[in-house]
Every structure is written in C-alpha cells, then in structure tokens.
Amino acid sequence: WRVELRDIFTQSSLAALAARIEPLRERLDHAPPVFGGEIPLGPVQTAFLVDYPGPKEHFHQALLLAPDEAMIAEPLEQAVAAVIRHHDALRLRYKQVDEQWVQELVALGEVAATEVVDLTDVGDPQAQMRDHASARMARTDLAHGPLFCATLYRMAAGDRLLLAAHHLVVDGVSWRILVEDLHSAYVQALAGTDIALAPVTDAYGNWAMAMRSAAQAMDDAQRTYWERAQADAGATLPLDHPHAVAMRQDRAEHRLT
C-alpha cells in the first residue's frame, strides 16, 4: 500500500487518511542485496562527513538494554550477525579517496561478533561499563568497521546489553525495527532453528541511488529555487531580543503537592 506524505499532514483522521491509501502497483524486491561495492552518499551523510567539525568516528546512538534473564553468548552472536546481514546499512563503510568521501557496502560475510565483558567481580561495575562502552565507541573505524556493535556485560545485578551504532548508519526511528529483529533472531537461535527475519523493503543502496537519480533529474526551475533559498537563508535564526542574556533568575519554578 502507498500513502503520500502530504496526506498524512492534510487528513485530520485515520478514516480520512485510509481513504487516500492506494495499493502498490509495482512489485517490491524484498531480498537484501548480496553484493558489496560503492553506493552514493545521501545528502545528510555528505553534510556530516564534509562539515562536521568534531571527530567523525565517535558520533553514535546507543541503547542499553536490561534483559529479564541472563543471555547466552553464542545465540546472541548469531542473532547480531543475522541482523547485520539482514540490514545492509549496518554494513556500510566510509573512506576518503582523492579527498572525496566514499560510501561502500561490504560483503555479507564481513560481520562483527558480539563482545562479552565480565564485570561480576569488579568494583563499581557501572563505572567500568561506562568507561568500556565509551572506549569501544571511540575506537570506531569508519573505513573498516564495525559501525554497529553489541556488547554483553555480565554483572552481579544482571546482564546489560549495549547496542551502539554510528549515526551515519542508523537513526532514531530505526532502533525499534532493529531491536525487534534482534529479539526475534535471538529467540530463534536460542531454540536452535534457522533464523528467518521479516522481509525488508527496498535496500539502502537502492534508496541512495534513487535519491541521486532524483537530484540529477531536477529541472532548472527547481534547482534555481533551492539554490536561491539556500543563498537567502541566514546563518542564525532571528531573535526577538538579540541583545538579551538568558540568566537563571529569568526562570520561575512552581511545584504542586
């Protein structure tokens, strides 16, 4: 089924939106790509790699999960590997060639194993976990990966599972899908069955190439409009009181009991 973005904003009820949904007429290829190679950078990726002033390797999103029971390392490793194989964006790599950033998709076999860290007998395991997690993310290698990693911390208070991904390959919306797939894969691996995840839609490489094609197909009028809009955009947002200074005394706090 297809729903247009404009309809989401203009239709004020689910019933009205449902009336605008149309069946897809083209057949989607649900199979993830089985190839590696260079694919185009998206606009946001390009902006980050070219303009971000800080260390590009350490720019992550992460989740720290508290499982209800102790996890078994081998099924977890199998599940993480299955998720990385299933979602091609998690296998992206980045390098500079002739001062230009290049995005590559590595082959299906190049996946990272889960790391297991035993903190059951150390002092202040929370601090040890924070230090280890920060160090692992800080040593991310954009060219060689992995850009998605899982770390299982064994602690006396119970296991903790850290999932960390560089922001180049994941966004906030994607985490729900990744966690659901990881849980499904882990349950299947724990049961000793072959891991089969829900079908994917278009692969990231296909999406990136479609965006590049759309940009190249933009007519002169559209290109002129957006170039003018970018040139007219101010470097900073306008302020009602540009010379005012925000101070703590400007804040009022009210508590109800």
Side-chain angles (χ1 to χ4, degrees), residues 61 63 87 163 170-184:
Q61 291 188 341
L63 294 180
H87 295 284
L163 303 176
V170 75
D171 57 25
V173 178
S174 304
W175 277 110
R176 177 184 60 82
I177 300 170
L178 294 177
V179 172
E180 288 179 357
D181 281 352
L182 181 62
H183 176 265
S184 175

Side-chain angles (χ1 to χ4, degrees), residues 203-219:
Y204 178 78
N206 297 340
W207 169 251
M209 287 185 281
M211 284 196 295
R212 183 176 65 176
S213 297
Q216 293 173 341
M218 184 183 297
D219 60 42

Side-chain angles (χ1 to χ4, degrees), residues 1-2 22-30 202:
W1 298 87
R2 181 194 303 277
E22 299 177 351
L24 283 173
R25 304 197 181 280
E26 66 270 21
R27 182 181 179 87
L28 288 178
D29 179 11
H30 292 293
D202 279 321

Side-chain angles (χ1 to χ4, degrees), residues 133-149:
S134 295
R136 185 170 193 193
M137 286 185 280
R139 66 175 184 263
T140 297
D141 188 334
L142 293 180
H144 301 99
L147 271 61
F148 174 82
C149 63

Side-chain angles (χ1 to χ4, degrees), residues 51-62:
D51 298 329
Y52 182 64
K56 294 177 173 57
E57 292 79 9
H58 194 179
F59 196 83
H60 290 71
Q61 291 188 341

Side-chain angles (χ1 to χ4, degrees), residues 223-243:
R223 184 174 291 104
T224 300
Y225 171 84
W226 289 113
E227 289 175 348
R228 184 181 300 117
Q230 183 179 20
D232 293 341
T236 58
L237 293 174
L239 302 174
D240 293 330
H241 306 285
H243 302 296

Side-chain angles (χ1 to χ4, degrees), residues 41 49-50 56 94-97 99-103 142:
L41 286 164
L49 291 168
V50 174
K56 294 177 173 57
Y94 302 86
K95 63 182 180 181
Q96 282 187 297
V97 178
E99 299 184 353
Q100 298 293 320
W101 282 98
V102 174
Q103 176 175 237
L142 293 180

